[in-house]
Amino acid sequence: MITDADCPSGGIEIVREVFNRIGDKWSLIVIRTLDAGPQRFTALRHSIPGISQRMLTLTLRQLERDGLVSRTIYGEVPPRVEYALTELGETIVPPVIALATWAFAHERDITANRDRYDAEHFAEEAG
Amino acid sequence: MITDADCPSGGIEIVREVFNRIGDKWSLIVIRTLDAGPQRFTALRHSIPGISQRMLTLTLRQLERDGLVSRTIYGEVPPRVEYALTELGETIVPPVIALATWAFAHERDITANRDRYDAEHFAEEAG
DNA sequence: CAGGATCCTGGTAGATACTG
DNA sequence: CAGTATCTACCAGGATCCTG
Protein backbone atom coordinates (compact mmCIF):
# COMPACT_ATOMS: atom_id res chain seq x y z
CA MET A 1 0.00 0.00 0.00
CA ILE A 2 1.68 3.18 1.16
CA THR A 3 5.17 1.86 0.76
CA ASP A 4 8.39 3.57 1.60
CA ALA A 5 8.91 3.81 -2.13
CA ASP A 6 6.11 6.34 -2.19
CA CYS A 7 7.81 8.12 0.62
CA PRO A 8 11.46 8.49 -0.31
CA SER A 9 12.17 11.40 1.96
CA GLY A 10 10.97 9.44 4.93
CA GLY A 11 8.18 11.92 5.59
CA ILE A 12 4.62 10.70 5.59
CA GLU A 13 3.82 14.03 7.13
CA ILE A 14 2.41 15.61 4.01
CA VAL A 15 -0.16 12.84 3.84
CA ARG A 16 -1.26 13.47 7.38
CA GLU A 17 -1.39 17.17 6.67
CA VAL A 18 -3.58 16.67 3.63
CA PHE A 19 -5.88 14.22 5.37
CA ASN A 20 -6.01 16.57 8.28
CA ARG A 21 -6.85 19.59 6.20
CA ILE A 22 -9.69 17.99 4.31
CA GLY A 23 -10.60 15.91 7.35
CA ASP A 24 -11.44 18.92 9.44
CA LYS A 25 -14.98 19.93 10.00
CA TRP A 26 -15.58 22.12 6.98
CA SER A 27 -12.91 21.87 4.29
CA LEU A 28 -14.45 18.87 2.63
CA ILE A 29 -17.84 20.44 2.27
CA VAL A 30 -16.34 23.73 1.14
CA ILE A 31 -14.40 21.95 -1.59
CA ARG A 32 -17.50 20.09 -2.56
CA THR A 33 -19.50 23.29 -2.76
CA LEU A 34 -16.87 25.13 -4.77
CA ASP A 35 -16.54 22.20 -7.12
CA ALA A 36 -20.02 23.08 -8.30
CA GLY A 37 -18.73 26.49 -9.28
CA PRO A 38 -17.27 29.73 -7.88
CA GLN A 39 -19.14 31.31 -5.01
CA ARG A 40 -19.12 34.49 -3.03
CA PHE A 41 -18.57 34.49 0.70
CA THR A 42 -22.17 34.89 1.72
CA ALA A 43 -23.36 32.45 -0.91
CA LEU A 44 -21.00 29.91 0.59
CA ARG A 45 -22.37 30.58 4.05
CA HIS A 46 -25.84 29.90 2.82
CA SER A 47 -24.73 26.83 0.92
CA ILE A 48 -23.21 25.41 4.07
CA PRO A 49 -25.75 25.35 6.87
CA GLY A 50 -24.29 25.49 10.32
CA ILE A 51 -20.95 27.02 9.46
CA SER A 52 -19.98 30.14 11.34
CA GLN A 53 -18.55 33.12 9.57
CA ARG A 54 -15.34 32.64 11.47
CA MET A 55 -14.91 29.00 10.47
CA LEU A 56 -15.77 29.75 6.87
CA THR A 57 -13.11 32.43 6.81
CA LEU A 58 -10.53 30.22 8.49
CA THR A 59 -11.31 27.25 6.28
CA LEU A 60 -11.06 29.34 3.14
CA ARG A 61 -7.78 30.85 4.32
CA GLN A 62 -6.26 27.44 4.89
CA LEU A 63 -7.41 26.13 1.55
CA GLU A 64 -6.17 29.30 -0.09
CA ARG A 65 -2.82 28.99 1.63
CA ASP A 66 -2.39 25.45 0.33
CA GLY A 67 -3.33 26.67 -3.13
CA LEU A 68 -6.52 24.63 -3.38
CA VAL A 69 -8.80 27.65 -3.48
CA SER A 70 -8.42 31.04 -5.10
CA ARG A 71 -9.75 34.28 -3.74
CA THR A 72 -10.69 37.09 -6.09
CA ILE A 73 -11.52 40.53 -4.78
CA TYR A 74 -13.57 42.91 -6.87
CA GLY A 75 -13.00 46.47 -5.73
CA GLU A 76 -16.65 47.34 -5.68
CA VAL A 77 -19.11 48.79 -3.28
CA PRO A 78 -20.49 46.77 -1.65
CA PRO A 79 -17.48 44.49 -1.51
CA ARG A 80 -17.46 41.34 -3.60
CA VAL A 81 -15.12 38.42 -3.04
CA GLU A 82 -15.35 35.28 -5.07
CA TYR A 83 -13.89 31.92 -4.17
CA ALA A 84 -13.15 29.10 -6.58
CA LEU A 85 -11.21 25.88 -6.80
CA THR A 86 -7.79 26.28 -8.37
CA GLU A 87 -6.46 23.76 -10.86
CA LEU A 88 -4.65 22.10 -8.00
CA GLY A 89 -7.84 22.11 -6.01
CA GLU A 90 -9.66 20.35 -8.80
CA THR A 91 -7.06 17.61 -8.97
CA ILE A 92 -7.77 16.60 -5.40
CA VAL A 93 -11.44 16.10 -6.09
CA PRO A 94 -11.23 12.62 -7.69
CA PRO A 95 -9.26 10.96 -4.87
CA VAL A 96 -11.54 12.68 -2.38
CA ILE A 97 -14.54 11.27 -4.20
CA ALA A 98 -12.98 7.83 -4.04
CA LEU A 99 -12.71 7.96 -0.29
CA ALA A 100 -16.08 9.63 0.12
CA THR A 101 -17.65 6.92 -1.98
CA TRP A 102 -16.04 4.31 0.23
CA ALA A 103 -17.45 6.05 3.28
CA PHE A 104 -20.97 6.12 1.85
CA ALA A 105 -20.73 2.54 0.69
CA HIS A 106 -19.66 1.28 4.09
CA GLU A 107 -21.64 3.58 6.31
CA ARG A 108 -23.90 0.76 7.44
CA ASP A 109 -20.99 -1.57 8.13
CA ILE A 110 -19.28 1.02 10.23
CA THR A 111 -22.41 1.89 12.14
CA ALA A 112 -23.14 -1.78 12.77
CA ASN A 113 -19.58 -2.36 13.94
CA ARG A 114 -19.79 0.55 16.32
CA ASP A 115 -23.08 -0.64 17.74
CA ARG A 116 -21.69 -4.10 18.26
CA TYR A 117 -18.50 -2.79 19.80
CA ASP A 118 -20.39 -0.54 22.17
CA ALA A 119 -22.77 -3.32 23.13
CA GLU A 120 -19.91 -5.67 23.86
CA HIS A 121 -17.90 -3.19 25.78
CA PHE A 122 -20.58 -1.42 27.72
CA ALA A 123 -23.10 -4.25 27.66
CA GLU A 124 -26.22 -2.20 28.38
CA GLU A 125 -28.28 -5.21 27.49
CA ALA A 126 -26.53 -7.10 30.26
CA GLY A 127 -26.74 -10.12 27.98
CA MET B 1 -18.27 15.46 -7.59
CA ILE B 2 -19.77 14.49 -4.27
CA THR B 3 -23.31 14.91 -5.43
CA ASP B 4 -26.43 14.62 -3.39
CA ALA B 5 -27.06 11.45 -5.35
CA ASP B 6 -24.22 9.90 -3.43
CA CYS B 7 -25.78 11.15 -0.29
CA PRO B 8 -29.45 10.21 -0.36
CA SER B 9 -30.00 10.44 3.37
CA GLY B 10 -28.79 14.00 3.31
CA GLY B 11 -25.90 13.19 5.64
CA ILE B 12 -22.38 13.87 4.52
CA GLU B 13 -21.46 13.24 8.12
CA ILE B 14 -20.12 9.76 7.59
CA VAL B 15 -17.62 11.15 5.11
CA ARG B 16 -16.39 13.67 7.60
CA GLU B 17 -16.20 10.98 10.23
CA VAL B 18 -14.13 8.73 8.02
CA PHE B 19 -11.82 11.52 6.92
CA ASN B 20 -11.55 12.58 10.49
CA ARG B 21 -10.72 9.13 11.77
CA ILE B 22 -7.94 8.45 9.31
CA GLY B 23 -6.97 12.11 9.30
CA ASP B 24 -6.03 12.10 12.95
CA LYS B 25 -2.45 11.94 14.00
CA TRP B 26 -1.90 8.18 14.03
CA SER B 27 -4.68 6.17 12.36
CA LEU B 28 -3.27 6.49 8.89
CA ILE B 29 0.16 5.23 9.85
CA VAL B 30 -1.33 2.46 11.95
CA ILE B 31 -3.40 1.28 8.99
CA ARG B 32 -0.38 1.49 6.79
CA THR B 33 1.67 -0.56 9.24
CA LEU B 34 -1.00 -3.20 9.68
CA ASP B 35 -1.47 -3.43 5.96
CA ALA B 36 1.98 -4.99 5.87
CA GLY B 37 0.71 -7.72 8.14
CA PRO B 38 -0.64 -8.42 11.64
CA GLN B 39 1.35 -7.02 14.51
CA ARG B 40 1.49 -7.25 18.25
CA PHE B 41 1.08 -4.18 20.40
CA THR B 42 4.72 -3.67 21.19
CA ALA B 43 5.76 -4.42 17.63
CA LEU B 44 3.41 -1.68 16.50
CA ARG B 45 4.92 0.71 18.98
CA HIS B 46 8.36 0.04 17.58
CA SER B 47 7.11 0.29 14.03
CA ILE B 48 5.67 3.71 14.73
CA PRO B 49 8.33 5.98 16.20
CA GLY B 50 7.01 8.76 18.35
CA ILE B 51 3.67 7.23 19.24
CA SER B 52 2.84 6.99 22.90
CA GLN B 53 1.42 3.83 24.36
CA ARG B 54 -1.71 5.72 25.20
CA MET B 55 -2.28 7.03 21.70
CA LEU B 56 -1.56 3.67 20.18
CA THR B 57 -4.17 2.13 22.44
CA LEU B 58 -6.72 4.85 21.69
CA THR B 59 -6.08 4.72 17.96
CA LEU B 60 -6.42 0.96 17.87
CA ARG B 61 -9.64 1.13 19.89
CA GLN B 62 -11.19 3.60 17.49
CA LEU B 63 -10.19 1.59 14.46
CA GLU B 64 -11.44 -1.55 16.17
CA ARG B 65 -14.73 0.10 17.00
CA ASP B 66 -15.26 1.07 13.38
CA GLY B 67 -14.42 -2.49 12.37
CA LEU B 68 -11.30 -1.59 10.45
CA VAL B 69 -8.97 -3.43 12.77
CA SER B 70 -9.35 -6.72 14.64
CA ARG B 71 -7.91 -7.50 18.03
CA THR B 72 -7.02 -11.05 18.93
CA ILE B 73 -6.09 -11.94 22.47
CA TYR B 74 -4.10 -15.06 23.16
CA GLY B 75 -4.57 -16.12 26.75
CA GLU B 76 -0.93 -16.71 27.35
CA VAL B 77 1.67 -15.65 29.83
CA PRO B 78 3.09 -13.22 29.04
CA PRO B 79 0.05 -11.69 27.36
CA ARG B 80 -0.11 -11.61 23.59
CA VAL B 81 -2.47 -9.43 21.59
CA GLU B 82 -2.36 -9.28 17.85
CA TYR B 83 -3.83 -6.57 15.68
CA ALA B 84 -4.71 -6.92 12.02
CA LEU B 85 -6.71 -5.19 9.33
CA THR B 86 -10.18 -6.64 8.89
CA GLU B 87 -11.65 -7.23 5.47
CA LEU B 88 -13.40 -3.90 5.80
CA GLY B 89 -10.12 -2.34 6.83
CA GLU B 90 -8.44 -3.66 3.73
CA THR B 91 -11.10 -2.18 1.48
CA ILE B 92 -10.29 1.30 2.66
CA VAL B 93 -6.66 0.97 1.73
CA PRO B 94 -6.97 1.64 -2.03
CA PRO B 95 -8.87 4.94 -1.72
CA VAL B 96 -6.49 5.95 1.03
CA ILE B 97 -3.58 5.20 -1.27
CA ALA B 98 -5.18 7.33 -3.94
CA LEU B 99 -5.33 10.34 -1.68
CA ALA B 100 -1.91 9.67 -0.19
CA THR B 101 -0.47 9.46 -3.67
CA TRP B 102 -2.04 12.78 -4.49
CA ALA B 103 -0.48 14.28 -1.39
CA PHE B 104 2.97 12.98 -2.28
CA ALA B 105 2.63 14.07 -5.87
CA HIS B 106 1.66 17.61 -4.92
CA GLU B 107 3.76 18.10 -1.83
CA ARG B 108 6.03 20.58 -3.59
CA ASP B 109 3.09 22.53 -5.01
CA ILE B 110 1.51 22.81 -1.62
CA THR B 111 4.73 23.83 0.07
CA ALA B 112 5.40 26.42 -2.61
CA ASN B 113 1.87 27.77 -2.30
CA ARG B 114 2.22 28.06 1.43
CA ASP B 115 5.53 29.85 1.15
CA ARG B 116 4.10 32.28 -1.34
CA TYR B 117 0.99 32.86 0.73
CA ASP B 118 3.00 33.48 3.88
CA ALA B 119 5.35 35.80 2.04
CA GLU B 120 2.46 37.80 0.64
CA HIS B 121 0.57 38.01 3.87
CA PHE B 122 3.36 38.53 6.34
CA ALA B 123 5.85 40.08 3.91
CA GLU B 124 8.95 39.59 6.00
CA GLU B 125 11.00 40.48 2.98
CA ALA B 126 9.26 43.83 2.85
CA GLY B 127 9.57 43.36 -0.90
C1' DC C 1 -20.95 42.28 2.13
C1' DA C 2 -16.87 40.32 3.89
C1' DG C 3 -14.09 39.46 7.63
C1' DG C 4 -11.00 40.75 11.77
C1' DA C 5 -10.61 40.39 17.08
C1' DT C 6 -11.83 38.33 21.31
C1' DC C 7 -13.54 35.04 24.60
C1' DC C 8 -14.84 30.45 25.77
C1' DT C 9 -15.48 25.30 25.47
C1' DG C 10 -14.52 20.51 24.34
C1' DG C 11 -11.80 17.15 22.20
C1' DT C 12 -7.10 15.50 20.75
C1' DA C 13 -2.74 14.36 22.23
C1' DG C 14 1.47 14.00 25.29
C1' DA C 15 3.76 12.61 29.85
C1' DT C 16 3.73 9.95 33.70
C1' DA C 17 2.49 6.41 36.97
C1' DC C 18 0.27 2.19 38.00
C1' DT C 19 -1.73 -2.84 37.01
C1' DG C 20 -3.07 -7.83 35.53
C1' DC D 1 3.56 -7.60 27.56
C1' DA D 2 -0.33 -4.86 27.12
C1' DG D 3 -2.65 -2.12 28.74
C1' DT D 4 -5.61 1.67 32.30
C1' DA D 5 -5.83 6.14 34.93
C1' DT D 6 -4.76 10.86 35.65
C1' DC D 7 -3.18 15.33 34.72
C1' DT D 8 -1.99 18.86 31.61
C1' DA D 9 -1.34 21.52 27.14
C1' DC D 10 -2.88 22.80 22.83
C1' DC D 11 -5.86 23.54 19.02
C1' DA D 12 -10.30 23.21 16.41
C1' DG D 13 -14.41 25.25 16.62
C1' DG D 14 -18.52 28.22 18.21
C1' DA D 15 -20.55 32.80 19.86
C1' DT D 16 -20.29 37.49 19.88
C1' DC D 17 -18.88 42.07 18.83
C1' DC D 18 -16.77 45.32 15.78
C1' DT D 19 -15.03 47.40 11.08
C1' DG D 20 -13.92 48.87 6.14
Side-chain angles (χ1 to χ4, degrees), chain A residues 1-4 6-9 11-12 14-26 28-29 31-33 35 61 64-68 71 88-89 91-93 95-104 106-107 109-111 113-115 117-118 121, chain B residues 1-4 6-9 11-12 14-26 28-29 31-33 35 61 64-68 71 88-89 91-93 95-104 106-107 109-111 113-115 117-118 121:
Chain A
M1 63 160 298
I2 310 170
T3 65
D4 287 332
D6 298 318
C7 186
S9 54
I12 201 174
I14 185 66
V15 180
R16 264 220 313 106
E17 284 180 41
V18 168
F19 275 81
N20 229 309
R21 174 69 51 239
I22 58 175
D24 71 7
K25 189 160 184 177
W26 300 110
L28 188 66
I29 200 170
I31 290 174
R32 170 205 174 164
T33 305
D35 189 56
R61 289 293 170 278
E64 188 194 357
R65 192 169 101 101
D66 285 357
L68 298 177
R71 177 168 175 266
L88 181 63
T91 66
I92 204 182
V93 170
V96 165
I97 294 179
L99 199 43
T101 301
W102 183 94
F104 279 125
H106 296 280
E107 176 167 14
D109 291 317
I110 293 172
T111 304
N113 285 324
R114 298 218 266 239
D115 289 345
Y117 184 94
D118 292 347
H121 288 257
Chain B
M1 63 161 297
I2 309 170
T3 65
D4 287 331
D6 299 316
C7 186
S9 52
I12 200 176
I14 185 66
V15 180
R16 264 219 316 104
E17 284 180 42
V18 169
F19 275 81
N20 230 307
R21 174 70 50 239
I22 58 174
D24 71 6
K25 189 159 184 178
W26 301 109
L28 188 67
I29 199 169
I31 290 174
R32 170 206 173 163
T33 304
D35 189 56
R61 289 291 170 280
E64 189 194 355
R65 191 170 103 100
D66 285 357
L68 298 177
R71 177 167 175 266
L88 180 63
T91 66
I92 204 183
V93 170
V96 164
I97 294 179
L99 198 44
T101 302
W102 183 95
F104 279 125
H106 297 281
E107 176 168 13
D109 292 317
I110 294 172
T111 303
N113 284 324
R114 297 217 265 240
D115 289 345
Y117 183 93
D118 292 346
H121 288 258

Side-chain angles (χ1 to χ4, degrees), chain B residues 35-98:
Chain B
D35 189 56
Q39 298 252 355
R40 301 175 60 177
F41 188 86
T42 302
L44 273 172
R45 275 196 75 173
H46 294 160
S47 298
I48 306 174
I51 196 171
S52 66
Q53 136 270 58
R54 176 183 132 89
M55 288 318 297
L56 179 55
T57 299
L58 282 181
T59 302
L60 287 168
R61 289 291 170 280
Q62 314 242 49
L63 293 173
E64 189 194 355
R65 191 170 103 100
D66 285 357
L68 298 177
V69 160
S70 66
R71 177 167 175 266
T72 309
I73 307 172
Y74 299 90
E76 304 172 357
V77 177
R80 190 156 76 96
V81 179
E82 207 166 73
Y83 292 92
L85 284 189
T86 61
E87 287 189 32
L88 180 63
E90 287 178 15
T91 66
I92 204 183
V93 170
V96 164
I97 294 179

